[in-house]
Amino acid sequence: MGKIFGRLYYIVKKNMRSLLVFEIMYRTATFLLSGYCVQTAIDFSLKKQGFSYLTAENYTSFIFHPLSVVLALAVFLQILFFLLIEAGALITCFEASSNRQKVTPGDLLFGGLYRTFIMIRKNKAAWILAAGLPAPIMELHLIVREISYIKLLQFSAQQLYKAVPWHWVLFAVCGLLLAFSLLFIYILPGSFMTGGKLGKRVPEALKLFRKNAGKTVVGIAVINILVALIVGTVYLIAVIFVVLYSMLTKSTAMAAGAVLTYSRWLDIGLGLAAGAVELVLTLAFVFVIYEKAYPDSVSNWKKRILFPRHTSKGLKLRRRVAGVLTAVLLVSEGFYGVYVMIQSRQTAENIWNSVGITAHRGGALMAPENTVSALAYANDTLCDYAEIDVQETKDRVLVLLHDNSLKRTAGLKENIWNVTYPQVSKLDAGISFHKKFRGEKIPTLEEAINFSKGKLDLNIEIKYNGENKGIAKRVVREIEKNDFADHCVITSMNYDFLKQVKKANPDIRTGYIMTMTYGSIANVKYADFFSVKHTYVDEDFVAEAHACGKEVHAWTVNYRGDVKRMINCGVDNIITDNPVLVRKVLDQESDTRTGFWELMKYALRI
């Protein structure tokens, strides 16, 4: 075994730099593309089935619907295709290393694409078996981590666990699946290095496994333990760094939320890294065994493929082009990754959302309500949404204001529809809250949107006062003008406003604000969710809404006991004046535990 791992170390080290760049580039690109395809497939299937949201109540009918099954198979085939290209690239790298040849990341990508093309051309649909049979044992760490932090997969696993009364059967099936996958672990190197029909490669792979069964089992076990130790150590170090960074750069009130957000991104990054390291080491181990059994398959590689020692001018040019494209792709992925992190408060795992938090009136606990300072507080406390109230002035300018009168917040005893925007712009919306906010202006809806872009999603409540019948269409136009439709919802107590919004732009999500919950909600078709006063929310109402494929947002929840009750009822979002309190209750944290070890528990989910 020592010689095998020594050889493994050499063939990985020989082209380590190119291998590292390729894996970062390729894993990031395929992760982003796969995530987009999964989300698109879910949204498309939900829309075709008439559901607004995926909930526990409609999960079974959604997941077993023929359209969902077809889309799931399509996504699965896409993932296998990406795996096949990556495996082809790695085999190309190992062959080059075995022949003491240097390669570039572009060479690896070209080699993976070329080998995959040959594989599919010769084997047609059988390539699915070549990629799918060894996949479970080669990507075990990635699969486990995906299930642990992608809520949809986690929920599916939990449902399966509940459905099978004999849990040992599930563990036995998983064990048998891994053992079966291990039998075919030599398929990929044989298929890529010798070519030909898969029907010839399968008996060859099984024969090679039988001859090296003990070495293979021990080697794969050692690799998995090694990957677990490496990833666990890196994760612990990264978590410590995240906690210390949050303590140094965030206030006490915001540190816990920051740790949770950063640690979710750590989960995703390390999940991808674990999958990459495991696949590289596993394929390298398999390659070493294979080249020892079939040395001619490696020594004759120059006749088949890609990189003779003395390169031609054309090959040099292709390498330069590939290098430039690789660099551009890496930079693009970096910028896109930062963009995704800024745009989304939750990670790619959140197709199955947990309880969200909305700051009431922008964030009225620590700043004047419906102001930019309030929105800044909502952003700093990592809220999912900030709720704002929109009315319009005499000259039809959309501004943030809750009451009809300006008296309480700005000191002017006049209704908003009797005052022009130039008059409103001169008022002080901060002094009545605290002197440090002196000079705070009443913002327009456009100013609120511009501040929130890339930071915060908005829950825009359209107030009805009898003087603003056309306000809904004007709000929609303002949202569309600022390209903000994907980052807001529109709510109102006036159901006709929601109807107008949906007719103007069906893609904007709408919420019906209700102070009571009597009667049926099944036919409230112009509302995508219900925003309900928390005293009227109970488990039956939430279950009925979820059965209709719609969320329930509870307002205005400011006390610990009420927060816990809403969580127990299963609401999807809590609207509150105190987002920090809600965050602590959600994470089962007391008001006083904000030290290093407590934040570590946040990050490690313990």
PDB file of all heavy atoms in Angstrom, residues 515-548:
ATOM      1  N   THR A 515     -56.234  40.851   9.242  1.00  0.00           N
ATOM      2  CA  THR A 515     -56.265  40.983  10.698  1.00  0.00           C
ATOM      3  C   THR A 515     -57.034  39.847  11.342  1.00  0.00           C
ATOM      4  O   THR A 515     -56.901  39.585  12.535  1.00  0.00           O
ATOM      5  CB  THR A 515     -56.930  42.313  11.097  1.00  0.00           C
ATOM      6  OG1 THR A 515     -58.226  42.389  10.487  1.00  0.00           O
ATOM      7  CG2 THR A 515     -56.091  43.497  10.629  1.00  0.00           C
ATOM      8  N   MET A 516     -57.825  39.123  10.533  1.00  0.00           N
ATOM      9  CA  MET A 516     -58.576  37.968  11.025  1.00  0.00           C
ATOM     10  C   MET A 516     -58.476  36.865   9.982  1.00  0.00           C
ATOM     11  O   MET A 516     -58.168  37.122   8.810  1.00  0.00           O
ATOM     12  CB  MET A 516     -60.036  38.328  11.295  1.00  0.00           C
ATOM     13  CG  MET A 516     -60.200  39.500  12.263  1.00  0.00           C
ATOM     14  SD  MET A 516     -61.911  39.962  12.540  1.00  0.00           S
ATOM     15  CE  MET A 516     -62.476  38.601  13.526  1.00  0.00           C
ATOM     16  N   THR A 517     -58.752  35.629  10.379  1.00  0.00           N
ATOM     17  CA  THR A 517     -58.571  34.493   9.469  1.00  0.00           C
ATOM     18  C   THR A 517     -59.814  33.624   9.360  1.00  0.00           C
ATOM     19  O   THR A 517     -59.714  32.430   9.139  1.00  0.00           O
ATOM     20  CB  THR A 517     -57.398  33.623   9.948  1.00  0.00           C
ATOM     21  OG1 THR A 517     -57.665  33.163  11.286  1.00  0.00           O
ATOM     22  CG2 THR A 517     -56.095  34.396   9.923  1.00  0.00           C
ATOM     23  N   TYR A 518     -60.979  34.217   9.500  1.00  0.00           N
ATOM     24  CA  TYR A 518     -62.195  33.433   9.377  1.00  0.00           C
ATOM     25  C   TYR A 518     -62.545  33.238   7.900  1.00  0.00           C
ATOM     26  O   TYR A 518     -62.277  34.090   7.061  1.00  0.00           O
ATOM     27  CB  TYR A 518     -63.349  34.120  10.107  1.00  0.00           C
ATOM     28  CG  TYR A 518     -63.106  34.298  11.577  1.00  0.00           C
ATOM     29  CD1 TYR A 518     -63.052  35.561  12.146  1.00  0.00           C
ATOM     30  CD2 TYR A 518     -62.896  33.193  12.401  1.00  0.00           C
ATOM     31  CE1 TYR A 518     -62.814  35.729  13.500  1.00  0.00           C
ATOM     32  CE2 TYR A 518     -62.656  33.352  13.754  1.00  0.00           C
ATOM     33  CZ  TYR A 518     -62.614  34.622  14.304  1.00  0.00           C
ATOM     34  OH  TYR A 518     -62.367  34.777  15.636  1.00  0.00           O
ATOM     35  N   GLY A 519     -63.176  32.101   7.609  1.00  0.00           N
ATOM     36  CA  GLY A 519     -63.571  31.824   6.239  1.00  0.00           C
ATOM     37  C   GLY A 519     -62.496  31.086   5.464  1.00  0.00           C
ATOM     38  O   GLY A 519     -61.396  30.834   5.952  1.00  0.00           O
ATOM     39  N   SER A 520     -62.820  30.738   4.208  1.00  0.00           N
ATOM     40  CA  SER A 520     -61.911  29.964   3.370  1.00  0.00           C
ATOM     41  C   SER A 520     -60.922  30.876   2.657  1.00  0.00           C
ATOM     42  O   SER A 520     -61.244  31.994   2.259  1.00  0.00           O
ATOM     43  CB  SER A 520     -62.712  29.166   2.335  1.00  0.00           C
ATOM     44  OG  SER A 520     -61.844  28.516   1.442  1.00  0.00           O
ATOM     45  N   ILE A 521     -59.696  30.395   2.492  1.00  0.00           N
ATOM     46  CA  ILE A 521     -58.671  31.159   1.784  1.00  0.00           C
ATOM     47  C   ILE A 521     -58.324  30.500   0.448  1.00  0.00           C
ATOM     48  O   ILE A 521     -57.438  30.970  -0.257  1.00  0.00           O
ATOM     49  CB  ILE A 521     -57.387  31.284   2.634  1.00  0.00           C
ATOM     50  CG1 ILE A 521     -56.840  29.889   2.982  1.00  0.00           C
ATOM     51  CG2 ILE A 521     -57.641  32.093   3.881  1.00  0.00           C
ATOM     52  CD1 ILE A 521     -55.507  29.917   3.699  1.00  0.00           C
ATOM     53  N   ALA A 522     -59.033  29.442   0.110  1.00  0.00           N
ATOM     54  CA  ALA A 522     -58.675  28.655  -1.075  1.00  0.00           C
ATOM     55  C   ALA A 522     -58.809  29.457  -2.363  1.00  0.00           C
ATOM     56  O   ALA A 522     -58.079  29.215  -3.328  1.00  0.00           O
ATOM     57  CB  ALA A 522     -59.543  27.402  -1.157  1.00  0.00           C
ATOM     58  N   ASN A 523     -59.738  30.427  -2.401  1.00  0.00           N
ATOM     59  CA  ASN A 523     -60.004  31.151  -3.642  1.00  0.00           C
ATOM     60  C   ASN A 523     -59.358  32.527  -3.703  1.00  0.00           C
ATOM     61  O   ASN A 523     -59.709  33.331  -4.567  1.00  0.00           O
ATOM     62  CB  ASN A 523     -61.521  31.281  -3.847  1.00  0.00           C
ATOM     63  CG  ASN A 523     -62.189  29.932  -4.026  1.00  0.00           C
ATOM     64  OD1 ASN A 523     -61.651  29.049  -4.705  1.00  0.00           O
ATOM     65  ND2 ASN A 523     -63.348  29.755  -3.409  1.00  0.00           N
ATOM     66  N   VAL A 524     -58.439  32.800  -2.786  1.00  0.00           N
ATOM     67  CA  VAL A 524     -57.757  34.103  -2.792  1.00  0.00           C
ATOM     68  C   VAL A 524     -56.610  34.002  -3.794  1.00  0.00           C
ATOM     69  O   VAL A 524     -55.437  33.907  -3.437  1.00  0.00           O
ATOM     70  CB  VAL A 524     -57.253  34.466  -1.378  1.00  0.00           C
ATOM     71  CG1 VAL A 524     -56.689  35.884  -1.346  1.00  0.00           C
ATOM     72  CG2 VAL A 524     -58.377  34.346  -0.359  1.00  0.00           C
ATOM     73  N   LYS A 525     -56.943  34.051  -5.081  1.00  0.00           N
ATOM     74  CA  LYS A 525     -55.978  33.688  -6.122  1.00  0.00           C
ATOM     75  C   LYS A 525     -54.961  34.788  -6.429  1.00  0.00           C
ATOM     76  O   LYS A 525     -53.912  34.511  -7.048  1.00  0.00           O
ATOM     77  CB  LYS A 525     -56.702  33.283  -7.397  1.00  0.00           C
ATOM     78  CG  LYS A 525     -57.516  34.401  -8.036  1.00  0.00           C
ATOM     79  CD  LYS A 525     -58.182  33.879  -9.315  1.00  0.00           C
ATOM     80  CE  LYS A 525     -58.972  34.992 -10.019  1.00  0.00           C
ATOM     81  NZ  LYS A 525     -59.589  34.517 -11.270  1.00  0.00           N
ATOM     82  N   TYR A 526     -55.248  36.031  -6.051  1.00  0.00           N
ATOM     83  CA  TYR A 526     -54.305  37.104  -6.372  1.00  0.00           C
ATOM     84  C   TYR A 526     -53.276  37.341  -5.269  1.00  0.00           C
ATOM     85  O   TYR A 526     -52.490  38.283  -5.341  1.00  0.00           O
ATOM     86  CB  TYR A 526     -55.059  38.404  -6.653  1.00  0.00           C
ATOM     87  CG  TYR A 526     -55.900  38.333  -7.908  1.00  0.00           C
ATOM     88  CD1 TYR A 526     -57.295  38.316  -7.841  1.00  0.00           C
ATOM     89  CD2 TYR A 526     -55.302  38.249  -9.163  1.00  0.00           C
ATOM     90  CE1 TYR A 526     -58.067  38.224  -8.995  1.00  0.00           C
ATOM     91  CE2 TYR A 526     -56.061  38.156 -10.311  1.00  0.00           C
ATOM     92  CZ  TYR A 526     -57.450  38.152 -10.223  1.00  0.00           C
ATOM     93  OH  TYR A 526     -58.199  38.061 -11.368  1.00  0.00           O
ATOM     94  N   ALA A 527     -53.289  36.492  -4.261  1.00  0.00           N
ATOM     95  CA  ALA A 527     -52.294  36.575  -3.188  1.00  0.00           C
ATOM     96  C   ALA A 527     -51.420  35.334  -3.212  1.00  0.00           C
ATOM     97  O   ALA A 527     -51.927  34.210  -3.210  1.00  0.00           O
ATOM     98  CB  ALA A 527     -52.984  36.713  -1.832  1.00  0.00           C
ATOM     99  N   ASP A 528     -50.105  35.538  -3.234  1.00  0.00           N
ATOM    100  CA  ASP A 528     -49.174  34.412  -3.184  1.00  0.00           C
ATOM    101  C   ASP A 528     -48.900  33.961  -1.758  1.00  0.00           C
ATOM    102  O   ASP A 528     -48.420  32.846  -1.543  1.00  0.00           O
ATOM    103  CB  ASP A 528     -47.847  34.803  -3.851  1.00  0.00           C
ATOM    104  CG  ASP A 528     -48.011  35.069  -5.335  1.00  0.00           C
ATOM    105  OD1 ASP A 528     -48.629  34.235  -6.012  1.00  0.00           O
ATOM    106  OD2 ASP A 528     -47.522  36.114  -5.811  1.00  0.00           O
ATOM    107  N   PHE A 529     -49.160  34.836  -0.790  1.00  0.00           N
ATOM    108  CA  PHE A 529     -49.003  34.458   0.616  1.00  0.00           C
ATOM    109  C   PHE A 529     -49.932  35.329   1.457  1.00  0.00           C
ATOM    110  O   PHE A 529     -50.534  36.295   0.962  1.00  0.00           O
ATOM    111  CB  PHE A 529     -47.542  34.586   1.082  1.00  0.00           C
ATOM    112  CG  PHE A 529     -46.985  35.982   1.073  1.00  0.00           C
ATOM    113  CD1 PHE A 529     -47.066  36.790   2.204  1.00  0.00           C
ATOM    114  CD2 PHE A 529     -46.365  36.490  -0.057  1.00  0.00           C
ATOM    115  CE1 PHE A 529     -46.554  38.076   2.198  1.00  0.00           C
ATOM    116  CE2 PHE A 529     -45.830  37.767  -0.073  1.00  0.00           C
ATOM    117  CZ  PHE A 529     -45.932  38.573   1.059  1.00  0.00           C
ATOM    118  N   PHE A 530     -50.069  34.949   2.724  1.00  0.00           N
ATOM    119  CA  PHE A 530     -50.936  35.672   3.640  1.00  0.00           C
ATOM    120  C   PHE A 530     -50.103  36.302   4.752  1.00  0.00           C
ATOM    121  O   PHE A 530     -49.254  35.638   5.348  1.00  0.00           O
ATOM    122  CB  PHE A 530     -51.996  34.740   4.231  1.00  0.00           C
ATOM    123  CG  PHE A 530     -52.873  34.105   3.194  1.00  0.00           C
ATOM    124  CD1 PHE A 530     -52.668  32.788   2.813  1.00  0.00           C
ATOM    125  CD2 PHE A 530     -53.880  34.827   2.582  1.00  0.00           C
ATOM    126  CE1 PHE A 530     -53.460  32.197   1.842  1.00  0.00           C
ATOM    127  CE2 PHE A 530     -54.680  34.244   1.611  1.00  0.00           C
ATOM    128  CZ  PHE A 530     -54.476  32.932   1.239  1.00  0.00           C
ATOM    129  N   SER A 531     -50.350  37.564   4.998  1.00  0.00           N
ATOM    130  CA  SER A 531     -49.680  38.283   6.085  1.00  0.00           C
ATOM    131  C   SER A 531     -50.730  38.532   7.161  1.00  0.00           C
ATOM    132  O   SER A 531     -51.650  39.326   6.972  1.00  0.00           O
ATOM    133  CB  SER A 531     -49.095  39.604   5.566  1.00  0.00           C
ATOM    134  OG  SER A 531     -48.356  40.263   6.554  1.00  0.00           O
ATOM    135  N   VAL A 532     -50.574  37.824   8.291  1.00  0.00           N
ATOM    136  CA  VAL A 532     -51.665  37.730   9.263  1.00  0.00           C
ATOM    137  C   VAL A 532     -51.211  38.218  10.641  1.00  0.00           C
ATOM    138  O   VAL A 532     -50.091  37.922  11.075  1.00  0.00           O
ATOM    139  CB  VAL A 532     -52.163  36.269   9.372  1.00  0.00           C
ATOM    140  CG1 VAL A 532     -53.368  36.171  10.292  1.00  0.00           C
ATOM    141  CG2 VAL A 532     -52.484  35.714   7.991  1.00  0.00           C
ATOM    142  N   LYS A 533     -52.075  38.941  11.325  1.00  0.00           N
ATOM    143  CA  LYS A 533     -51.801  39.352  12.702  1.00  0.00           C
ATOM    144  C   LYS A 533     -51.587  38.102  13.554  1.00  0.00           C
ATOM    145  O   LYS A 533     -52.365  37.153  13.511  1.00  0.00           O
ATOM    146  CB  LYS A 533     -52.963  40.166  13.254  1.00  0.00           C
ATOM    147  CG  LYS A 533     -52.671  40.785  14.614  1.00  0.00           C
ATOM    148  CD  LYS A 533     -53.803  41.698  15.047  1.00  0.00           C
ATOM    149  CE  LYS A 533     -53.476  42.349  16.390  1.00  0.00           C
ATOM    150  NZ  LYS A 533     -54.554  43.258  16.840  1.00  0.00           N
ATOM    151  N   HIS A 534     -50.485  38.097  14.311  1.00  0.00           N
ATOM    152  CA  HIS A 534     -50.033  36.861  14.968  1.00  0.00           C
ATOM    153  C   HIS A 534     -51.060  36.273  15.930  1.00  0.00           C
ATOM    154  O   HIS A 534     -51.090  35.062  16.153  1.00  0.00           O
ATOM    155  CB  HIS A 534     -48.702  37.101  15.689  1.00  0.00           C
ATOM    156  CG  HIS A 534     -48.797  37.926  16.927  1.00  0.00           C
ATOM    157  ND1 HIS A 534     -49.002  37.383  18.170  1.00  0.00           N
ATOM    158  CD2 HIS A 534     -48.701  39.270  17.105  1.00  0.00           C
ATOM    159  CE1 HIS A 534     -49.036  38.342  19.071  1.00  0.00           C
ATOM    160  NE2 HIS A 534     -48.851  39.501  18.454  1.00  0.00           N
ATOM    161  N   THR A 535     -51.923  37.117  16.496  1.00  0.00           N
ATOM    162  CA  THR A 535     -52.903  36.593  17.450  1.00  0.00           C
ATOM    163  C   THR A 535     -53.942  35.699  16.782  1.00  0.00           C
ATOM    164  O   THR A 535     -54.628  34.929  17.456  1.00  0.00           O
ATOM    165  CB  THR A 535     -53.623  37.752  18.169  1.00  0.00           C
ATOM    166  OG1 THR A 535     -54.145  38.672  17.187  1.00  0.00           O
ATOM    167  CG2 THR A 535     -52.656  38.498  19.080  1.00  0.00           C
ATOM    168  N   TYR A 536     -54.053  35.787  15.454  1.00  0.00           N
ATOM    169  CA  TYR A 536     -55.028  34.970  14.723  1.00  0.00           C
ATOM    170  C   TYR A 536     -54.383  33.788  13.997  1.00  0.00           C
ATOM    171  O   TYR A 536     -55.052  33.058  13.271  1.00  0.00           O
ATOM    172  CB  TYR A 536     -55.790  35.833  13.708  1.00  0.00           C
ATOM    173  CG  TYR A 536     -56.696  36.845  14.365  1.00  0.00           C
ATOM    174  CD1 TYR A 536     -56.275  38.153  14.547  1.00  0.00           C
ATOM    175  CD2 TYR A 536     -57.960  36.478  14.826  1.00  0.00           C
ATOM    176  CE1 TYR A 536     -57.093  39.087  15.158  1.00  0.00           C
ATOM    177  CE2 TYR A 536     -58.788  37.403  15.444  1.00  0.00           C
ATOM    178  CZ  TYR A 536     -58.350  38.705  15.606  1.00  0.00           C
ATOM    179  OH  TYR A 536     -59.163  39.630  16.220  1.00  0.00           O
ATOM    180  N   VAL A 537     -53.094  33.634  14.173  1.00  0.00           N
ATOM    181  CA  VAL A 537     -52.397  32.530  13.512  1.00  0.00           C
ATOM    182  C   VAL A 537     -52.422  31.297  14.403  1.00  0.00           C
ATOM    183  O   VAL A 537     -52.072  31.367  15.588  1.00  0.00           O
ATOM    184  CB  VAL A 537     -50.933  32.909  13.200  1.00  0.00           C
ATOM    185  CG1 VAL A 537     -50.173  31.704  12.642  1.00  0.00           C
ATOM    186  CG2 VAL A 537     -50.887  34.064  12.217  1.00  0.00           C
ATOM    187  N   ASP A 538     -52.840  30.168  13.841  1.00  0.00           N
ATOM    188  CA  ASP A 538     -52.753  28.899  14.550  1.00  0.00           C
ATOM    189  C   ASP A 538     -52.314  27.820  13.570  1.00  0.00           C
ATOM    190  O   ASP A 538     -52.156  28.072  12.365  1.00  0.00           O
ATOM    191  CB  ASP A 538     -54.082  28.528  15.222  1.00  0.00           C
ATOM    192  CG  ASP A 538     -55.249  28.472  14.250  1.00  0.00           C
ATOM    193  OD1 ASP A 538     -55.019  28.195  13.050  1.00  0.00           O
ATOM    194  OD2 ASP A 538     -56.395  28.705  14.671  1.00  0.00           O
ATOM    195  N   GLU A 539     -52.089  26.622  14.072  1.00  0.00           N
ATOM    196  CA  GLU A 539     -51.567  25.542  13.238  1.00  0.00           C
ATOM    197  C   GLU A 539     -52.526  25.169  12.111  1.00  0.00           C
ATOM    198  O   GLU A 539     -52.094  24.831  11.003  1.00  0.00           O
ATOM    199  CB  GLU A 539     -51.266  24.320  14.100  1.00  0.00           C
ATOM    200  CG  GLU A 539     -50.105  24.529  15.074  1.00  0.00           C
ATOM    201  CD  GLU A 539     -49.816  23.293  15.904  1.00  0.00           C
ATOM    202  OE1 GLU A 539     -50.547  22.295  15.729  1.00  0.00           O
ATOM    203  OE2 GLU A 539     -48.880  23.327  16.709  1.00  0.00           O
ATOM    204  N   ASP A 540     -53.837  25.233  12.378  1.00  0.00           N
ATOM    205  CA  ASP A 540     -54.815  24.868  11.355  1.00  0.00           C
ATOM    206  C   ASP A 540     -54.763  25.839  10.177  1.00  0.00           C
ATOM    207  O   ASP A 540     -54.830  25.424   9.011  1.00  0.00           O
ATOM    208  CB  ASP A 540     -56.222  24.837  11.954  1.00  0.00           C
ATOM    209  CG  ASP A 540     -56.420  23.674  12.914  1.00  0.00           C
ATOM    210  OD1 ASP A 540     -55.642  22.697  12.821  1.00  0.00           O
ATOM    211  OD2 ASP A 540     -57.321  23.753  13.765  1.00  0.00           O
ATOM    212  N   PHE A 541     -54.657  27.138  10.501  1.00  0.00           N
ATOM    213  CA  PHE A 541     -54.612  28.123   9.421  1.00  0.00           C
ATOM    214  C   PHE A 541     -53.345  27.951   8.584  1.00  0.00           C
ATOM    215  O   PHE A 541     -53.380  27.996   7.350  1.00  0.00           O
ATOM    216  CB  PHE A 541     -54.670  29.546   9.975  1.00  0.00           C
ATOM    217  CG  PHE A 541     -54.536  30.604   8.912  1.00  0.00           C
ATOM    218  CD1 PHE A 541     -55.621  30.942   8.127  1.00  0.00           C
ATOM    219  CD2 PHE A 541     -53.314  31.221   8.678  1.00  0.00           C
ATOM    220  CE1 PHE A 541     -55.496  31.899   7.117  1.00  0.00           C
ATOM    221  CE2 PHE A 541     -53.181  32.170   7.676  1.00  0.00           C
ATOM    222  CZ  PHE A 541     -54.281  32.513   6.901  1.00  0.00           C
ATOM    223  N   VAL A 542     -52.213  27.747   9.248  1.00  0.00           N
ATOM    224  CA  VAL A 542     -50.957  27.561   8.528  1.00  0.00           C
ATOM    225  C   VAL A 542     -51.031  26.313   7.653  1.00  0.00           C
ATOM    226  O   VAL A 542     -50.588  26.322   6.496  1.00  0.00           O
ATOM    227  CB  VAL A 542     -49.770  27.461   9.515  1.00  0.00           C
ATOM    228  CG1 VAL A 542     -48.481  27.099   8.775  1.00  0.00           C
ATOM    229  CG2 VAL A 542     -49.589  28.776  10.266  1.00  0.00           C
ATOM    230  N   ALA A 543     -51.598  25.233   8.193  1.00  0.00           N
ATOM    231  CA  ALA A 543     -51.729  23.997   7.419  1.00  0.00           C
ATOM    232  C   ALA A 543     -52.612  24.213   6.191  1.00  0.00           C
ATOM    233  O   ALA A 543     -52.313  23.711   5.103  1.00  0.00           O
ATOM    234  CB  ALA A 543     -52.293  22.889   8.296  1.00  0.00           C
ATOM    235  N   GLU A 544     -53.714  24.979   6.345  1.00  0.00           N
ATOM    236  CA  GLU A 544     -54.606  25.239   5.224  1.00  0.00           C
ATOM    237  C   GLU A 544     -53.896  26.069   4.150  1.00  0.00           C
ATOM    238  O   GLU A 544     -54.013  25.786   2.952  1.00  0.00           O
ATOM    239  CB  GLU A 544     -55.858  25.986   5.703  1.00  0.00           C
ATOM    240  CG  GLU A 544     -56.868  26.244   4.592  1.00  0.00           C
ATOM    241  CD  GLU A 544     -58.081  27.033   5.061  1.00  0.00           C
ATOM    242  OE1 GLU A 544     -58.132  27.394   6.260  1.00  0.00           O
ATOM    243  OE2 GLU A 544     -58.957  27.306   4.230  1.00  0.00           O
ATOM    244  N   ALA A 545     -53.146  27.078   4.595  1.00  0.00           N
ATOM    245  CA  ALA A 545     -52.413  27.911   3.631  1.00  0.00           C
ATOM    246  C   ALA A 545     -51.359  27.097   2.899  1.00  0.00           C
ATOM    247  O   ALA A 545     -51.210  27.194   1.669  1.00  0.00           O
ATOM    248  CB  ALA A 545     -51.770  29.091   4.359  1.00  0.00           C
ATOM    249  N   HIS A 546     -50.640  26.289   3.636  1.00  0.00           N
ATOM    250  CA  HIS A 546     -49.604  25.456   3.022  1.00  0.00           C
ATOM    251  C   HIS A 546     -50.210  24.445   2.057  1.00  0.00           C
ATOM    252  O   HIS A 546     -49.599  24.120   1.035  1.00  0.00           O
ATOM    253  CB  HIS A 546     -48.801  24.744   4.097  1.00  0.00           C
ATOM    254  CG  HIS A 546     -47.806  25.627   4.785  1.00  0.00           C
ATOM    255  ND1 HIS A 546     -47.007  25.194   5.817  1.00  0.00           N
ATOM    256  CD2 HIS A 546     -47.490  26.927   4.581  1.00  0.00           C
ATOM    257  CE1 HIS A 546     -46.235  26.193   6.219  1.00  0.00           C
ATOM    258  NE2 HIS A 546     -46.517  27.250   5.484  1.00  0.00           N
ATOM    259  N   ALA A 547     -51.379  23.950   2.375  1.00  0.00           N
ATOM    260  CA  ALA A 547     -52.054  23.009   1.478  1.00  0.00           C
ATOM    261  C   ALA A 547     -52.399  23.682   0.152  1.00  0.00           C
ATOM    262  O   ALA A 547     -52.480  23.024  -0.886  1.00  0.00           O
ATOM    263  CB  ALA A 547     -53.313  22.459   2.136  1.00  0.00           C
ATOM    264  N   CYS A 548     -52.585  25.002   0.185  1.00  0.00           N
ATOM    265  CA  CYS A 548     -52.838  25.775  -1.030  1.00  0.00           C
ATOM    266  C   CYS A 548     -51.537  26.188  -1.711  1.00  0.00           C
ATOM    267  O   CYS A 548     -51.560  26.875  -2.737  1.00  0.00           O
ATOM    268  CB  CYS A 548     -53.653  27.033  -0.705  1.00  0.00           C
ATOM    269  SG  CYS A 548     -55.297  26.710  -0.047  1.00  0.00           S
TER     270      CYS A 548
END
